[in-house]
Amino acid sequence: MHKTTVNGAVIAYDEAGSGSPVVLLHAGIADRRMWRGQLSALAARHRVIVPDLRGYGDSELPPIPFAHHDDVAGLLDALDLPRAALVGCSFGGAVAIDTALAYPDRVSALALFGTAVSGNEWSEEANDLWDSLVGEVDPDDFAAGAAGEVRFWVVGPGRQPADVDPGLIAFAQEMDQRALAAELALGAVEVGELTPPAIERLGELRLPVLVTAGAADVPDIRRLADRIAAEAPDAVRLPDVPDAAHLLPLERPEPVNAALLDFLS
């Protein structure tokens, strides 16, 4: 693990390899460890940087205003990188998109796996799915909250927990408990948002974009991938990856690595 100061906060990150730089941005229910299946595979050709977003994992959260996309640009500054390709999953994908819109000269390409998009509103279908699969959860009970979120996101609406590797479920729940604590702390800090949000600006993404999702992810996420592919001028929509849900890079590293190595080349 390495650490550097970015915009007044100490950011933790892993790094490996050499070559064209690639930054991997984790999901909101996880931390940088979710990319453990990508670090060494990509490092054979690239300089791979895997940070914990501010407040998550081993990164600090000082009580000062900030924006995640500003931190990504600041991390590039701290590492003397003029530009990098950004790879994101879920919330990390939203941060990657926001960074590309806020700092278009700093981002060479985007690869998005089960991505969220800032400004997107969840459908009634997604809310109903949450109610049917999870229901009410005590927000102060991080263990119960993580179990519910992992049931919704990591297992997915079309599978049963018995269909998924129990080791993956346990690891995802452990990461998500820490992420829930991070989200609670972030609620007390002023976090800047991209204005206008990215959902209204996908046509401005004038750079190579790769987008896909897990076939077992919630329908809203798969539809977002379709929308990005339709509106971003240079986007490629790969088919959904079978038997994979929201933490696609963690659950199915082989097809993700193959897609990334091909795209980044």
Side-chain angles (χ1 to χ4, degrees):
M1 181 177 67
H2 305 272
K3 291 187 175 183
T4 189
T5 300
V6 174
N7 299 330
V10 174
I11 299 297
Y13 65 98
D14 296 325
E15 182 174 345
S18 60
S20 59
V22 180
V23 179
L24 310 182
L25 302 173
H26 62 79
I29 62 172
D31 54 51
R32 74 183 193 279
R33 293 175 293 165
M34 69 159 285
W35 298 106
R36 62 188 186 184
Q38 283 68 52
L39 184 59
S40 61
L42 298 182
R45 302 183 191 174
H46 301 277
R47 181 182 177 186
V48 187
I49 297 127
V50 191
D52 280 326
L53 294 170
R54 186 186 301 217
Y56 290 86
D58 296 307
S59 290
E60 291 183 347
L61 183 65
I64 55 176
F66 80 100
H68 287 294
H69 53 272
D70 292 337
D71 276 0
V72 175
L75 179 63
L76 298 182
D77 290 339
L79 300 179
D80 295 320
L81 294 173
R83 301 176 80 213
L86 303 184
V87 179
C89 176
S90 186
F91 176 64
V95 173
I97 294 169
D98 285 356
T99 307
L101 291 170
Y103 301 94
D105 58 331
R106 307 301 302 275
V107 182
S108 59
L110 287 173
L112 307 168
F113 297 91
T115 193
V117 179
S118 65
N120 178 64
E121 295 187 5
W122 298 110
S123 69
E124 284 301 315
E125 177 188 9
N127 294 329
D128 291 343
L129 275 174
W130 177 270
D131 290 341
S132 65
L133 292 172
V134 182
E136 293 290 332
V137 177
D138 181 354
D140 296 324
D141 188 341
F142 291 160
E149 289 197 337
V150 167
R151 174 63 185 90
F152 185 79
W153 292 113
V154 179
V155 176
R159 301 191 293 185
Q160 296 298 318
D163 300 328
V164 181
D165 176 10
L168 172 66
I169 290 177
F171 182 48
Q173 288 180 348
E174 188 269 322
M175 285 194 296
D176 195 25
Q177 286 194 54
R178 295 184 70 189
L180 287 169
E183 290 175 359
L184 181 64
L186 283 160
V189 177
E190 182 181 339
V191 182
E193 299 180 355
L194 187 71
T195 305
I199 196 66
E200 302 172 12
R201 303 170 58 184
L202 296 174
E204 297 177 31
L205 292 173
R206 300 188 177 278
L207 75 173
V209 178
L210 176 75
V211 60
T212 189
D217 207 340
V218 298
D220 275 31
I221 292 294
R222 304 199 306 273
R223 285 193 286 263
L224 269 179
D226 292 338
R227 181 169 175 178
I228 293 166
E231 296 186 20
D234 194 14
V236 174
R237 171 70 158 98
L238 295 184
D240 292 339
V241 178
D243 196 26
H246 201 52
L247 294 186
L248 170 58
L250 180 62
E251 187 173 9
R252 295 285 177 259
E254 293 84 2
V256 167
N257 294 346
L260 279 174
L261 287 168
D262 180 63
F263 175 69
L264 294 171
S265 68

